[in-house]
Amino acid sequence: METSRAARQPRLPFFGAALIGVVALAAALAAGHLVAGFISANASPYLAVGNGAIDLTPVGLKDFAVRTFGVYDKLVLLGGMAVVMVLAAAVAGIASRRSPVPGIVLIAAFGLLGGLAVALRPDLSAVALLAPLASLIAGVGVFFWLHRLASAGPRDEVAGATPSRRSVLLAGAGAVVAAGAAGAGGQLLAGTRDAESSRTAVGRLVPAEPAPPIPADADFAKLGTPTFLTSNRDFYRVDTALSVPQVRAEDWSLRLHGMVREEKRFSYDDIRDRPLIERTITMTCVSNEVGGTYVSTANFIGVDLGDLLREAGILPGAEQIFSTSVDGWTAGSPVVAALDPERGAMLAIGMNGEPLPVEHGFPARMVIPGLYGYVSATKWVKDLEITTWKARRAYWLDRGWGEQAPIKTQSRIDSPKGFETVPAGKVRVSGVAWAQHTGIERVEVRLGANGSWLPATLSREVGLNTWRMWWTELDVPAGSHQVTVRAVDKSGYTQTDARAGTVPDGATGWHVISFTAR
């Protein structure tokens, strides 16, 4: 009896069933994004799952993604997630050709996963669970509705077009349009909390203590090096944020607490109204491979971080500044580095004469020269807890990275490019070297694996916390060649040739490029 009833139950067309699953997925994601627009962008289940994936990604895979895709690594992640979800939704629809139960179960599982991802976000409150709940209701509801429409009424197997199928097409098209409108609505709502308008309203930042002018011979840009100062547009960006946090200056505050005599809280106006300082600082990402581009220099504007700490009164035994971003990301910085007046750690609110770009941490970020960014450069910072290394463990420490992370002495060849063909004879070789808070003493270059090391001409030194450009000219006969560079810092240390990856505390090795002379 049951078998005959199942046999009489109409089976949905293969592609039609798959399409029902995909449309239901679109409705679920759009509904979640719409509700998240009222709460927080990170409440969107799609972004919450993506953020969870980033947090759970093994260090090696994360490093590979940064190396391979650079600033597009998160777009690749979101795109990959979209492909997987569409395929899963299509499979859910196909598995439900006779009954909606398999599809509803799979959609409900997706909804629960989104809810779990939202619940685990450290920057979201319980109200954010409304977004995945909306996704769950919309996804299940649209799937069941379209499935019932598609299953109703007799079918003309010869003609193929039936009132039921036309109804499903119209209903599906309507659901897609509604999903698009909901998604756009969520994006529009998120835009009402846009930080860019707040940043524009800040206006020009004028430091009471400007940085010394950059000398004309601080770079050899005409000879192939980067310009000494990196534009805000070109400044490297590596972080875990899938969606750039949108924090208005008028809503921002910084809490300074923990092992201090007096807890402090600063508003944006509290910081801006202080006498601002400007410092020229080169920053480097720990994910920078040998010869990599994740190193940039800017004039940062803000206040001395050490001054804020001294006002709060650091208690004996304090070891780290445990900083937290508005999106829940954390970093641990050595207290001793932040208090060192020669190092010049900052709470920065400006960059190259402008308020911080939103993607670089507006309204405020930390900048501690001489340390890799993952322990020194928290963007969108909202909380500084003075504590010990044992008491609190920051985001990357639990993922295999080092605790203190001083920047290593490194150098890079920028010209000629790897595998470039150049005229034989006099070949100009140029590049950049850095050893923040130690300083570069000299740079040496050699042609071939066994050639003699030759000194390069260095640019004017701007400071111990900035990079230096270099260039030299080599006599190169026709043929294939290799050029190697190494730097010697002001402590007398010669950059090691021992190759090491970025984990746990920065890459080492000499940069070598191959080129052809003709």
Side-chain angles (χ1 to χ4, degrees):
M1 179 72 73
E2 293 297 327
T3 303
S4 62
R5 186 178 294 116
R8 290 196 303 272
Q9 178 70 29
R11 294 181 69 194
L12 302 185
F14 185 89
F15 290 108
L19 186 60
I20 287 173
V22 174
V23 171
L25 170 68
L29 294 179
H33 197 61
L34 175 61
V35 174
F38 290 96
I39 305 168
S40 167
N42 281 337
S44 171
Y46 184 52
L47 293 181
V49 171
N51 281 316
I54 288 175
D55 291 346
L56 295 173
T57 298
V59 171
L61 183 57
K62 174 261 175 192
D63 216 34
F64 168 79
V66 171
R67 262 195 333 268
T68 306
F69 304 111
V71 296
Y72 302 105
D73 59 337
K74 297 170 189 66
L75 286 177
V76 171
L77 169 65
L78 290 175
M81 283 175 52
V83 170
V84 171
M85 293 175 75
V86 167
L87 290 176
V91 169
I94 293 167
S96 304
R97 293 177 69 190
R98 287 198 184 278
S99 166
V101 173
I104 288 174
V105 169
L106 188 53
I107 290 172
F110 269 126
L112 293 174
L113 177 63
L116 179 62
V118 169
L120 293 176
R121 288 292 305 167
D123 56 321
L124 298 175
S125 63
V127 72
L129 291 172
L130 291 174
L133 179 61
S135 280
L136 178 61
I137 294 172
V140 170
V142 169
F143 186 87
F144 184 77
W145 172 52
L146 292 178
H147 193 283
R148 189 173 68 170
L149 277 178
S151 301
R155 293 179 178 276
D156 184 345
E157 297 296 342
V158 177
T162 71
S164 174
R165 188 172 300 176
R166 285 193 293 271
S167 298
V168 173
L169 288 174
L170 289 173
V176 169
V177 170
Q187 198 66 31
L188 185 63
L189 285 168
T192 62
R193 293 189 299 277
D194 179 21
E196 191 57 50
S197 58
S198 176
R199 175 179 180 268
T200 300
V202 168
R204 188 161 173 261
L205 297 174
V206 180
E209 184 185 324
I214 305 300
D217 54 354
D219 67 43
F220 299 126
K222 292 182 179 180
L223 305 182
T225 74
T227 57
F228 186 83
L229 289 178
T230 311
S231 69
N232 291 351
R233 181 188 65 253
D234 296 329
F235 203 98
Y236 81 86
R237 178 192 165 204
V238 177
D239 53 51
T240 64
L242 267 182
S243 61
V244 176
Q246 300 290 319
V247 186
R248 298 183 303 173
E250 52 269 37
D251 299 330
W252 176 86
S253 68
L254 176 68
R255 182 188 179 205
L256 174 53
H257 63 108
M259 296 177 66
V260 296
R261 284 192 292 272
E262 180 185 358
E263 181 174 320
K264 296 282 187 177
R265 187 175 288 274
F266 305 96
S267 69
Y268 189 84
D269 285 342
D270 290 335
I271 299 300
R272 187 179 179 182
D273 290 346
R274 289 171 173 246
L276 298 178
I277 56 175
E278 183 179 46
R279 289 172 178 160
T280 308
I281 297 170
T282 297
M283 295 179 63
T284 309
C285 181
V286 74
S287 295
N288 198 46
E289 296 280 351
V290 172
T293 58
Y294 293 142
V295 53
S296 303
T297 301
N299 280 333
F300 289 96
I301 301 171
V303 298
D304 192 284
L305 181 60
D307 287 347
L308 300 183
L309 300 182
R310 280 184 282 270
E311 287 177 22
I314 305 299
L315 296 178
E319 296 174 318
Q320 76 158 322
I321 306 170
F322 189 81
S323 55
T324 303
S325 170
V326 297
D327 66 350
W329 189 84
T330 58
S333 311
V335 168
V336 65
L339 289 175
D340 180 2
E342 298 299 320
R343 191 180 292 262
M346 298 180 69
L347 178 72
I349 62 172
M351 184 174 175
N352 288 332
E354 305 174 2
L356 281 173
V358 175
E359 65 271 19
H360 286 292
F362 179 83
R365 70 175 299 168
M366 291 173 59
V367 180
I368 303 180
L371 303 177
Y372 285 116
Y374 80 100
V375 300
S376 69
T378 303
K379 294 186 271 192
W380 314 288
V381 63
K382 70 168 186 177
D383 189 277
L384 301 179
E385 180 183 357
I386 310 305
T387 183
T388 63
W389 293 112
K390 186 176 180 181
R392 300 297 300 269
R393 289 183 62 81
Y395 183 92
W396 285 117
L397 258 66
D398 287 330
R399 290 161 175 80
W401 297 83
E403 184 179 85
Q404 307 266 344
I407 292 173
K408 296 179 177 178
T409 301
Q410 283 289 100
S411 55
R412 184 184 76 201
I413 300 169
D414 289 309
S415 179
K417 302 295 184 185
F419 305 109
E420 185 178 352
T421 299
V422 300
K426 296 287 186 182
V427 174
R428 183 182 298 125
V429 183
S430 63
V432 61
W434 59 91
Q436 289 95 304
H437 205 57
T438 303
I440 294 295
E441 179 66 29
R442 65 180 186 273
V443 170
E444 299 172 331
V445 177
R446 73 178 181 189
L447 182 66
N450 299 309
S452 300
W453 289 103
L454 304 172
T457 300
L458 287 177
S459 65
R460 175 82 64 89
E461 183 179 65
V462 173
L464 296 181
N465 292 327
T466 61
W467 56 9
R468 292 186 79 174
M469 313 301 175
W470 58 267
W471 78 279
T472 191
E473 204 166 54
L474 302 175
D475 289 313
V476 181
S480 297
H481 302 278
Q482 283 188 335
V483 172
T484 306
V485 64
R486 71 181 183 187
V488 180
D489 65 32
K490 291 196 171 184
S491 74
Y493 171 79
T494 300
Q495 179 184 342
T496 179
D497 64 337
R499 277 275 180 170
T502 58
V503 183
D505 57 3
T508 63
W510 294 338
H511 189 207
V512 182
I513 65 136
S514 298
F515 69 97
T516 301
R518 288 182 181 170

